[in-house]
Coordinates of all heavy atoms in Angstrom, one line a residue:
M1 N -120.5 29.8 111.7 CA -119.6 30.7 111.3 C -119.6 31.0 109.8 O -119.5 30.2 109.0 CB -118.2 30.2 111.7 CG -117.0 31.1 111.3 SD -115.5 30.3 111.9 CE -114.3 31.3 111.3
S2 N -119.8 32.3 109.5 CA -119.9 32.6 108.0 C -118.7 33.4 107.6 O -118.0 34.1 108.4 CB -121.2 33.5 107.8 OG -121.0 34.7 108.4
T3 N -118.3 33.3 106.4 CA -117.2 34.0 105.9 C -117.7 35.1 104.9 O -118.6 34.8 104.1 CB -116.2 33.1 105.1 OG1 -116.9 32.4 104.1 CG2 -115.5 32.1 106.1
T4 N -117.2 36.2 105.0 CA -117.6 37.3 104.2 C -116.6 37.5 103.1 O -115.4 37.6 103.3 CB -117.7 38.6 105.0 OG1 -118.6 38.4 106.1 CG2 -118.2 39.8 104.1
K5 N -117.0 37.6 101.8 CA -116.1 37.7 100.7 C -115.9 39.2 100.5 O -116.9 40.0 100.7 CB -116.7 37.1 99.5 CG -116.8 35.6 99.6 CD -117.4 35.0 98.3 CE -117.6 33.5 98.5 NZ -118.2 32.9 97.4
P6 N -114.7 39.6 100.1 CA -114.5 41.1 99.8 C -115.4 41.5 98.6 O -115.8 40.7 97.8 CB -113.0 41.1 99.5 CG -112.6 39.8 99.2 CD -113.6 38.8 99.9
D7 N -115.6 42.8 98.6 CA -116.4 43.4 97.5 C -115.6 43.6 96.2 O -116.2 43.9 95.1 CB -116.9 44.8 97.9 CG -118.0 44.7 99.0 OD1 -118.6 43.6 99.2 OD2 -118.1 45.7 99.8
T8 N -114.3 43.4 96.3 CA -113.4 43.6 95.1 C -112.4 42.5 95.0 O -112.2 41.7 95.9 CB -112.6 44.9 95.3 OG1 -111.8 44.9 96.4 CG2 -113.5 46.2 95.3
V9 N -111.9 42.3 93.8 CA -110.8 41.4 93.5 C -109.6 42.3 93.3 O -109.6 43.3 92.6 CB -111.1 40.6 92.2 CG1 -109.9 39.8 91.8 CG2 -112.3 39.7 92.4
T10 N -108.5 42.0 94.0 CA -107.3 42.8 94.0 C -106.1 42.1 93.4 O -105.8 41.0 93.8 CB -106.9 43.3 95.4 OG1 -108.1 43.9 96.0 CG2 -105.7 44.2 95.4
C11 N -105.5 42.7 92.4 CA -104.3 42.1 91.8 C -103.2 41.9 92.9 O -102.9 42.9 93.6 CB -103.8 43.0 90.6 SG -102.3 42.3 89.9
T12 N -102.6 40.7 92.9 CA -101.6 40.4 93.9 C -100.3 41.3 93.7 O -99.7 41.7 94.6 CB -101.3 38.9 93.9 OG1 -102.5 38.2 94.1 CG2 -100.3 38.5 95.0
A13 N -100.0 41.5 92.4 CA -98.8 42.2 92.1 C -98.9 43.7 92.2 O -98.0 44.4 92.8 CB -98.4 41.9 90.7
C14 N -99.9 44.4 91.7 CA -99.9 45.8 91.6 C -101.0 46.5 92.5 O -101.0 47.7 92.6 CB -100.0 46.3 90.2 SG -101.7 46.1 89.4
G15 N -102.0 45.7 92.9 CA -103.1 46.3 93.8 C -104.3 46.8 93.0 O -105.2 47.3 93.6
T16 N -104.3 46.7 91.7 CA -105.5 47.1 90.9 C -106.7 46.4 91.4 O -106.6 45.2 91.7 CB -105.3 46.8 89.4 OG1 -104.2 47.6 89.0 CG2 -106.5 47.1 88.6
Q17 N -107.8 47.1 91.6 CA -109.0 46.5 92.1 C -110.2 46.6 91.1 O -110.3 47.6 90.3 CB -109.5 47.1 93.4 CG -108.5 46.9 94.5 CD -109.0 47.4 95.8 OE1 -109.9 48.3 95.8 NE2 -108.5 46.9 96.9
V18 N -111.0 45.6 91.0 CA -112.2 45.6 90.2 C -113.3 45.0 91.1 O -113.1 44.3 92.1 CB -112.1 44.8 88.9 CG1 -111.1 45.4 88.0 CG2 -111.8 43.3 89.2
P19 N -114.6 45.4 90.8 CA -115.7 44.8 91.6 C -115.7 43.3 91.5 O -115.5 42.7 90.4 CB -117.0 45.4 91.0 CG -116.5 46.6 90.3 CD -115.1 46.3 89.9
R20 N -115.9 42.6 92.6 CA -116.0 41.1 92.6 C -117.3 40.7 92.0 O -118.4 41.1 92.4 CB -116.0 40.6 94.1 CG -116.0 39.1 94.2 CD -116.0 38.7 95.7 NE -115.6 37.3 95.8 CZ -114.4 36.9 95.9 NH1 -113.4 37.8 95.9 NH2 -114.1 35.6 96.0
P21 N -117.3 39.8 91.0 CA -118.5 39.3 90.4 C -119.2 38.3 91.3 O -118.7 37.8 92.2 CB -118.0 38.6 89.1 CG -116.6 38.2 89.4 CD -116.1 39.2 90.4
A22 N -120.5 38.1 90.9 CA -121.3 37.1 91.6 C -120.6 35.8 91.4 O -119.8 35.6 90.4 CB -122.7 37.0 91.0
D23 N -120.8 34.8 92.3 CA -120.0 33.6 92.3 C -119.9 32.8 91.0 O -118.9 32.2 90.7 CB -120.6 32.6 93.4 CG -120.1 33.0 94.8 OD1 -119.1 33.7 94.9 OD2 -120.8 32.7 95.7
V24 N -120.9 32.8 90.2 CA -120.8 32.0 88.9 C -120.6 32.9 87.7 O -120.8 32.5 86.6 CB -122.0 31.1 88.7 CG1 -122.1 30.1 89.8 CG2 -123.3 31.9 88.7
Q25 N -120.3 34.2 87.9 CA -120.2 35.1 86.8 C -118.8 35.7 86.6 O -118.6 36.9 86.4 CB -121.2 36.2 87.0 CG -122.6 35.7 87.0 CD -123.6 36.8 87.2 OE1 -123.3 38.0 87.3 NE2 -124.9 36.4 87.4
W26 N -117.7 34.8 86.7 CA -116.4 35.2 86.6 C -115.9 35.3 85.1 O -114.8 35.9 84.9 CB -115.5 34.2 87.4 CG -115.6 34.4 88.8 CD1 -116.6 33.8 89.6 CD2 -114.8 35.1 89.7 NE1 -116.4 34.2 90.9 CE2 -115.3 35.0 91.0 CE3 -113.6 35.9 89.5 CZ2 -114.7 35.6 92.1 CZ3 -113.0 36.4 90.6 CH2 -113.6 36.3 91.9
R27 N -116.6 34.8 84.2 CA -116.1 34.8 82.8 C -115.7 36.2 82.3 O -114.7 36.3 81.6 CB -117.2 34.2 81.9 CG -116.9 34.1 80.4 CD -116.5 32.8 80.0 NE -116.0 32.8 78.7 CZ -115.2 31.9 78.2 NH1 -114.9 30.8 79.0 NH2 -114.7 31.9 77.0
P28 N -116.5 37.2 82.5 CA -116.0 38.6 82.0 C -114.6 39.0 82.5 O -113.9 39.6 81.7 CB -117.1 39.5 82.5 CG -118.3 38.7 82.7 CD -117.8 37.3 83.1
L29 N -114.3 38.6 83.7 CA -112.9 39.0 84.2 C -111.9 38.1 83.5 O -110.9 38.6 83.1 CB -112.8 38.7 85.7 CG -113.4 39.8 86.7 CD1 -113.1 39.5 88.1 CD2 -112.8 41.2 86.3
W30 N -112.2 36.8 83.3 CA -111.3 35.9 82.6 C -111.1 36.4 81.2 O -109.9 36.6 80.7 CB -111.8 34.5 82.6 CG -110.9 33.5 82.0 CD1 -110.9 33.1 80.7 CD2 -109.8 32.8 82.6 NE1 -109.9 32.2 80.5 CE2 -109.2 32.0 81.6 CE3 -109.3 32.9 83.9 CZ2 -108.1 31.2 81.9 CZ3 -108.2 32.0 84.2 CH2 -107.6 31.2 83.2
D31 N -112.2 36.8 80.5 CA -112.1 37.3 79.1 C -111.3 38.6 79.0 O -110.7 38.9 78.0 CB -113.5 37.4 78.5 CG -114.2 36.1 78.3 OD1 -113.5 35.1 78.3 OD2 -115.4 36.1 78.1
A32 N -111.4 39.4 80.1 CA -110.7 40.7 80.1 C -109.2 40.5 80.4 O -108.4 41.5 80.4 CB -111.3 41.6 81.2
G33 N -108.7 39.3 80.8 CA -107.3 39.0 81.0 C -106.9 38.8 82.4 O -105.8 38.6 82.7
W34 N -107.9 38.8 83.3 CA -107.6 38.5 84.7 C -107.4 37.0 84.9 O -108.0 36.2 84.2 CB -108.8 38.9 85.7 CG -108.8 40.4 86.0 CD1 -109.3 41.4 85.1 CD2 -108.3 41.0 87.1 NE1 -109.1 42.6 85.8 CE2 -108.5 42.4 87.0 CE3 -107.7 40.6 88.3 CZ2 -108.1 43.3 88.0 CZ3 -107.3 41.5 89.3 CH2 -107.6 42.8 89.1
R35 N -106.4 36.6 85.8 CA -106.2 35.2 86.1 C -106.1 35.1 87.6 O -105.7 36.0 88.3 CB -104.8 34.8 85.4 CG -104.8 34.9 83.9 CD -105.8 33.9 83.3 NE -105.8 33.9 81.9 CZ -106.8 34.5 81.1 NH1 -107.8 35.2 81.7 NH2 -106.7 34.5 79.8
W36 N -106.4 33.9 88.1 CA -106.4 33.7 89.5 C -106.3 32.3 89.9 O -106.5 31.4 89.2 CB -107.7 34.3 90.1 CG -108.9 33.7 89.5 CD1 -109.6 32.5 89.9 CD2 -109.7 34.2 88.5 NE1 -110.7 32.3 89.1 CE2 -110.8 33.3 88.2 CE3 -109.6 35.3 87.6 CZ2 -111.7 33.6 87.2 CZ3 -110.5 35.6 86.6 CH2 -111.6 34.7 86.5
V37 N -105.8 32.1 91.2 CA -105.9 30.8 91.9 C -106.7 31.2 93.1 O -106.1 31.6 94.1 CB -104.4 30.4 92.2 CG1 -104.5 29.0 92.9 CG2 -103.6 30.3 91.0
G38 N -108.0 31.0 93.0 CA -108.9 31.4 94.1 C -108.6 30.7 95.4 O -108.7 31.3 96.5
S39 N -108.2 29.5 95.4 CA -108.0 28.7 96.6 C -106.8 29.3 97.4 O -106.7 29.1 98.6 CB -107.7 27.2 96.3 OG -106.5 27.1 95.5
Q40 N -105.9 30.0 96.7 CA -104.8 30.7 97.4 C -104.9 32.2 97.4 O -104.0 32.9 97.8 CB -103.5 30.3 96.6 CG -103.2 28.8 96.7 CD -102.0 28.4 95.9 OE1 -101.0 29.2 95.9 NE2 -102.0 27.3 95.4
D41 N -106.1 32.7 97.0 CA -106.4 34.1 97.0 C -105.3 34.9 96.2 O -104.9 36.0 96.7 CB -106.5 34.6 98.4 CG -107.4 35.9 98.5 OD1 -108.2 36.1 97.6 OD2 -107.2 36.7 99.4
L42 N -104.9 34.4 95.1 CA -103.9 35.1 94.2 C -104.6 35.5 92.9 O -105.3 34.7 92.3 CB -102.8 34.1 93.8 CG -101.9 33.6 94.9 CD1 -101.0 32.5 94.4 CD2 -101.1 34.7 95.6
Y43 N -104.4 36.8 92.5 CA -105.1 37.3 91.3 C -104.1 38.1 90.6 O -103.2 38.8 91.1 CB -106.3 38.2 91.8 CG -107.3 37.5 92.5 CD1 -107.3 37.4 93.9 CD2 -108.4 36.9 91.9 CE1 -108.2 36.8 94.6 CE2 -109.3 36.2 92.6 CZ -109.3 36.1 94.0 OH -110.2 35.5 94.7
S44 N -104.2 38.1 89.2 CA -103.4 39.0 88.4 C -104.3 39.8 87.4 O -105.2 39.2 86.8 CB -102.3 38.2 87.7 OG -102.8 37.3 86.8
C45 N -104.0 41.1 87.3 CA -104.8 41.9 86.3 C -104.2 41.7 85.0 O -103.1 41.1 84.8 CB -104.8 43.4 86.8 SG -103.2 44.2 86.6
P46 N -104.8 42.2 83.9 CA -104.3 42.1 82.6 C -102.9 42.7 82.3 O -102.2 42.2 81.5 CB -105.3 42.8 81.7 CG -106.6 42.8 82.5 CD -106.2 42.8 83.9
D47 N -102.5 43.7 83.2 CA -101.3 44.4 83.0 C -100.1 43.7 83.7 O -98.9 44.0 83.4 CB -101.3 45.8 83.5 CG -102.3 46.6 82.6 OD1 -102.5 46.3 81.4 OD2 -102.9 47.6 83.2
C48 N -100.4 42.7 84.5 CA -99.3 42.0 85.3 C -99.1 40.6 84.8 O -100.0 40.0 84.2 CB -99.7 42.0 86.8 SG -99.6 43.7 87.6
P49 N -97.9 40.0 85.2 CA -97.7 38.6 84.8 C -98.8 37.7 85.4 O -99.2 38.0 86.6 CB -96.3 38.3 85.4 CG -95.7 39.6 85.6 CD -96.8 40.6 85.8
P50 N -99.2 36.7 84.7 CA -100.3 35.9 85.3 C -99.8 35.0 86.4 O -98.7 34.6 86.5 CB -100.7 35.0 84.1 CG -99.5 35.0 83.2 CD -98.8 36.3 83.4
V51 N -100.7 34.8 87.4 CA -100.5 33.9 88.5 C -100.8 32.4 88.0 O -100.3 31.5 88.7 CB -101.3 34.2 89.8 CG1 -100.8 35.5 90.3 CG2 -102.8 34.2 89.5
I52 N -101.5 32.3 86.9 CA -101.9 31.0 86.4 C -101.9 31.0 84.9 O -102.2 32.0 84.3 CB -103.2 30.5 87.0 CG1 -103.4 29.0 86.7 CG2 -104.4 31.3 86.4 CD1 -102.7 28.1 87.7
V53 N -101.4 30.0 84.3 CA -101.4 29.9 82.8 C -102.0 28.6 82.4 O -101.8 27.6 83.1 CB -99.9 29.9 82.3 CG1 -99.8 29.8 80.8 CG2 -99.2 31.2 82.7
V54 N -102.8 28.6 81.3 CA -103.3 27.3 80.8 C -102.4 26.9 79.7 O -102.1 27.6 78.7 CB -104.7 27.6 80.2 CG1 -105.3 26.3 79.7 CG2 -105.7 28.1 81.3
D55 N -101.8 25.7 79.9 CA -100.8 25.2 78.9 C -101.5 24.6 77.7 O -102.8 24.6 77.6 CB -99.9 24.2 79.5 CG -100.5 22.8 79.9 OD1 -101.6 22.5 79.5 OD2 -99.8 22.1 80.6
D56 N -100.7 24.1 76.7 CA -101.3 23.7 75.4 C -102.2 22.4 75.6 O -102.8 22.0 74.6 CB -100.2 23.5 74.4 CG -99.1 22.5 74.9 OD1 -99.2 22.0 76.0 OD2 -98.3 22.1 74.0
Q57 N -102.1 21.8 76.7 CA -103.0 20.6 77.0 C -104.2 21.0 77.9 O -104.9 20.1 78.3 CB -102.2 19.5 77.6 CG -101.1 19.0 76.6 CD -100.3 17.9 77.2 OE1 -100.5 17.4 78.3 NE2 -99.3 17.5 76.4
G58 N -104.4 22.3 78.2 CA -105.5 22.7 79.0 C -105.3 22.6 80.5 O -106.3 22.8 81.2
R59 N -104.1 22.3 80.9 CA -103.8 22.2 82.3 C -103.5 23.6 82.9 O -102.8 24.4 82.2 CB -102.7 21.3 82.6 CG -102.9 19.8 82.2 CD -101.7 19.0 82.3 NE -100.7 19.5 81.4 CZ -99.6 18.8 81.0 NH1 -99.4 17.6 81.4 NH2 -98.8 19.4 80.2
H60 N -103.9 23.8 84.1 CA -103.6 25.1 84.8 C -102.3 25.0 85.5 O -102.1 24.1 86.3 CB -104.7 25.5 85.8 CG -106.0 25.8 85.1 ND1 -106.9 24.8 84.7 CD2 -106.5 27.0 84.7 CE1 -108.0 25.4 84.1 NE2 -107.8 26.7 84.1
R61 N -101.4 25.9 85.1 CA -100.0 25.8 85.7 C -99.6 27.2 86.1 O -100.1 28.2 85.6 CB -99.0 25.4 84.6 CG -99.4 24.1 83.9 CD -99.0 22.9 84.8 NE -99.2 21.7 84.1 CZ -98.9 20.5 84.6 NH1 -98.4 20.5 85.8 NH2 -99.1 19.4 83.9
S62 N -98.6 27.2 87.1 CA -98.0 28.5 87.4 C -97.0 28.8 86.3 O -96.5 27.9 85.7 CB -97.4 28.4 88.8 OG -96.2 27.7 88.7
P63 N -96.7 30.1 86.1 CA -95.7 30.5 85.2 C -94.3 29.8 85.5 O -93.6 29.4 84.5 CB -95.5 32.0 85.3 CG -96.9 32.4 85.8 CD -97.3 31.3 86.7
Q64 N -94.0 29.5 86.7 CA -92.8 28.9 87.1 C -92.8 27.4 86.6 O -91.8 26.9 86.1 CB -92.6 28.9 88.6 CG -92.3 30.3 89.2 CD -93.6 31.1 89.4 OE1 -94.7 30.5 89.3 NE2 -93.5 32.4 89.6
Q65 N -93.9 26.7 86.7 CA -94.0 25.4 86.2 C -93.8 25.3 84.7 O -93.2 24.4 84.2 CB -95.4 24.8 86.5 CG -95.6 24.5 88.0 CD -97.0 24.0 88.3 OE1 -98.0 24.6 87.8 NE2 -97.1 23.0 89.1
I66 N -94.3 26.3 84.0 CA -94.2 26.3 82.5 C -92.7 26.5 82.2 O -92.1 25.8 81.3 CB -95.0 27.5 81.9 CG1 -96.5 27.3 82.1 CG2 -94.7 27.6 80.4 CD1 -97.1 26.1 81.4
E67 N -92.0 27.5 82.9 CA -90.6 27.7 82.6 C -89.8 26.5 83.0 O -88.8 26.1 82.2 CB -90.1 28.9 83.5 CG -90.7 30.2 83.0 CD -90.3 31.4 84.0 OE1 -89.4 31.2 84.8 OE2 -90.9 32.4 83.8
Q68 N -90.1 25.8 84.1 CA -89.3 24.6 84.4 C -89.4 23.5 83.4 O -88.5 22.8 83.0 CB -89.7 24.1 85.8 CG -89.3 25.0 86.9 CD -89.9 24.6 88.3 OE1 -90.8 23.7 88.3 NE2 -89.5 25.2 89.3
A69 N -90.7 23.3 82.9 CA -90.9 22.3 81.9 C -90.1 22.6 80.6 O -89.6 21.7 79.9 CB -92.4 22.1 81.6
A70 N -90.1 23.9 80.2 CA -89.4 24.3 79.0 C -87.9 24.1 79.1 O -87.2 23.9 78.1 CB -89.7 25.7 78.7
S71 N -87.3 24.2 80.3 CA -85.9 24.1 80.5 C -85.4 22.7 80.5 O -84.2 22.5 80.6 CB -85.4 24.9 81.7 OG -85.9 24.3 82.9
H72 N -86.3 21.7 80.6 CA -85.9 20.3 80.7 C -85.8 19.7 79.3 O -86.4 19.9 78.4 CB -86.8 19.5 81.6 CG -86.7 19.9 83.0 ND1 -85.5 19.9 83.7 CD2 -87.6 20.3 83.9 CE1 -85.7 20.3 84.9 NE2 -87.0 20.6 85.1

C-alpha cells in the first residue's frame, strides 16, 4: 500500500497553497515563514498565526503551550 503526498502545502487557517518541496528541501518554506506539524498535517503560512513556535530553548511548542507557560 503506497501513500501519495499532495502536490501542495496548504495553510490550515486560510487555505493559501504553495508547491510541496521535495522531502528534504523544506528549508526555503521555513525561511519564508511557513510553520508546520507534519505528523498532524497542520501548516501555517507567513500571514497566519503559527501552528508551531520554537521557544527560547529550541523546543517546538504550540502557541497555546507558550501562552500557558507565560501565565504561570
Side-chain angles (χ1 to χ4, degrees):
M1 179 178 172
S2 67
T3 54
T4 304
K5 295 179 183 176
D7 294 333
T8 58
V9 172
T10 303
C11 178
T12 305
C14 74
T16 295
Q17 293 184 339
V18 293
R20 183 182 198 87
D23 281 338
V24 295
Q25 298 176 6
W26 287 83
R27 179 104 188 158
L29 281 184
W30 184 265
D31 290 346
W34 281 80
R35 299 293 181 257
W36 56 86
V37 182
S39 62
Q40 297 178 32
D41 205 26
L42 297 172
Y43 300 90
S44 62
C45 72
D47 295 331
C48 290
V51 292
I52 195 75
V53 177
V54 180
D55 70 13
D56 58 352
Q57 295 179 4
R59 297 174 296 198
H60 292 85
R61 305 285 188 175
S62 72
Q64 295 81 12
Q65 288 172 316
I66 299 291
E67 289 174 14
Q68 288 171 353
S71 67
H72 292 306

